[in-house]
Amino acid sequence: MKYLVACLAISLSLFGVTSSHEDNSATADSANQDQARIISLQFEPIVNENEKITFVQGQDKGEVIERRKIADGEFFLYKKANDLYEELYGGLRIGEKDYHFGQIGYGNDTSAITIESVEALGRKLLKVNGFRGANYRVTYYLHLQNQVPSVFLYVDGGAHYEGELDGDPVIIGSHAASTSFQTILYRMEGEKLVFADLNKQLHEADSVRVTDNLLFEVRHQADSIPQLYTYQNKRLLPLTRTAPVSE
């Protein structure tokens, strides 16, 4: 009888050790999976290569269709001569000089084109919102230094947010492309403006959308359940819950 009790005790002990080991292994595997899903973002310098982000001073600004007073001068909208598409371009008049920048609309309706002073990425900037299609927004952040304007940042698709993210001053550009969202995060490293394309860095995600409470809703395939990430110290950390699309 004592022999049977001893064998039973040994068997139960071994079973307990085995179960505990399996539980610990499962916990470790889950932790490793969560760690693997943390995305360390790689930021690249912005390269100012084209006319979208380079001011050009010109003498002939075409037909000026609207002027708006701003603190440092005048913002105006104009059309180029013989333009069949009636595209609208933006310009600044500082002192006696006119400075032109890129297309910010078309037609005669200028109500969707706005200009305001903002503080973003540690700088005082002029923010110009415009459009190049019915659902195609564009944003220019203009910098004035010694009465000379320049384009600090051009956001193709439009800016969604400027402010702080985990204490880090950022600008978030986000726009819908068909049923998907494309999102780019801009920040400063010293005096250098850098960016991270979140769709590419999140394993070529089908969609990355910024929610109203500044979480990142990621969908890896068109029909997959969205996963929420939060930004922390130049990383995207997965949350344990998914988000409704309307959040």
Side-chain angles (χ1 to χ4, degrees), residues 164-180:
E164 289 195 350
L165 202 57
D166 188 38
D168 194 6
V170 300
I171 290 174
I172 302 175
S174 187
H175 68 279
S178 184
T179 59
S180 300

Side-chain angles (χ1 to χ4, degrees), residues 20-70:
S20 176
H21 176 72
E22 289 177 351
D23 290 343
N24 290 339
S25 296
T27 301
D29 289 343
S30 177
N32 289 337
Q33 289 176 1
D34 287 341
Q35 185 69 25
R37 289 160 55 208
I38 294 175
I39 307 297
S40 296
L41 297 176
Q42 304 299 316
F43 288 87
E44 306 173 40
I46 294 285
V47 179
N48 297 344
E49 290 183 336
N50 52 54
E51 63 183 5
K52 295 174 183 175
I53 46 180
T54 303
F55 263 95
V56 178
Q57 183 177 342
Q59 300 301 319
D60 180 13
K61 53 182 173 288
E63 177 191 0
V64 177
I65 65 170
E66 187 174 333
R67 299 177 186 272
R68 302 179 192 176
K69 292 294 183 182
I70 58 174

Side-chain angles (χ1 to χ4, degrees):
M1 183 66 176
K2 291 181 179 180
Y3 176 77
L4 291 175
V5 171
C7 288
L8 180 61
I10 292 171
S11 297
L12 290 174
S13 175
L14 289 174
F15 177 78
V17 170
T18 302
S19 298
S20 176
H21 176 72
E22 289 177 351
D23 290 343
N24 290 339
S25 296
T27 301
D29 289 343
S30 177
N32 289 337
Q33 289 176 1
D34 287 341
Q35 185 69 25
R37 289 160 55 208
I38 294 175
I39 307 297
S40 296
L41 297 176
Q42 304 299 316
F43 288 87
E44 306 173 40
I46 294 285
V47 179
N48 297 344
E49 290 183 336
N50 52 54
E51 63 183 5
K52 295 174 183 175
I53 46 180
T54 303
F55 263 95
V56 178
Q57 183 177 342
Q59 300 301 319
D60 180 13
K61 53 182 173 288
E63 177 191 0
V64 177
I65 65 170
E66 187 174 333
R67 299 177 186 272
R68 302 179 192 176
K69 292 294 183 182
I70 58 174
D72 296 285
E74 181 181 79
F75 170 65
F76 59 87
L77 300 170
Y78 70 98
K79 293 180 180 179
K80 294 182 178 180
N82 303 317
D83 183 359
L84 298 178
Y85 300 100
E86 295 192 329
E87 295 175 342
L88 298 176
Y89 295 84
L92 291 178
R93 184 167 181 81
I94 308 295
E96 298 300 320
K97 295 182 178 180
D98 293 331
Y99 298 87
H100 301 186
F101 56 100
Q103 182 198 350
I104 54 173
Y106 58 87
N108 295 311
D109 184 5
T110 63
S111 61
I113 300 172
T114 62
I115 183 169
E116 61 178 323
S117 296
V118 299
E119 289 198 16
L121 302 182
R123 289 162 171 76
K124 292 184 178 180
L125 303 169
L126 287 173
K127 178 183 179 182
V128 183
N129 274 322
F131 60 94
R132 294 185 179 176
N135 296 306
Y136 180 19
R137 306 292 300 174
V138 294
T139 302
Y140 292 86
Y141 289 94
L142 312 177
H143 188 221
L144 293 176
Q145 187 172 17
N146 299 324
Q147 295 296 296
V148 177
S150 62
V151 178
F152 177 72
L153 174 63
Y154 168 80
V155 182
D156 193 15
H160 177 85
Y161 170 80
E162 69 258 344
E164 289 195 350
L165 202 57
D166 188 38
D168 194 6
V170 300
I171 290 174
I172 302 175
S174 187
H175 68 279
S178 184
T179 59
S180 300
F181 284 83
Q182 307 294 313
T183 298
I184 296 179
L185 183 62
Y186 303 90
R187 55 186 294 276
M188 299 297 296
E189 289 186 354
E191 293 298 311
K192 183 184 297 183
L193 179 60
V194 296
F195 77 100
D197 185 327
L198 300 190
N199 291 70
K200 290 183 178 179
Q201 296 201 30
L202 282 159
H203 309 298
E204 299 291 340
D206 173 72
S207 178
V208 179
R209 187 182 73 90
V210 184
T211 68
D212 292 339
N213 53 353
L214 299 180
L215 299 176
F216 295 91
E217 181 188 276
V218 179
R219 192 178 66 203
H220 289 284
Q221 296 179 349
D223 57 350
S224 63
I225 298 174
Q227 169 70 51
L228 282 177
Y229 287 78
T230 185
Y231 177 87
Q232 187 180 94
N233 191 26
K234 296 189 290 185
R235 301 181 302 166
L236 292 183
L237 280 61
L239 300 181
T240 56
R241 64 183 179 91
T242 56
V245 173
S246 60
E247 183 174 345

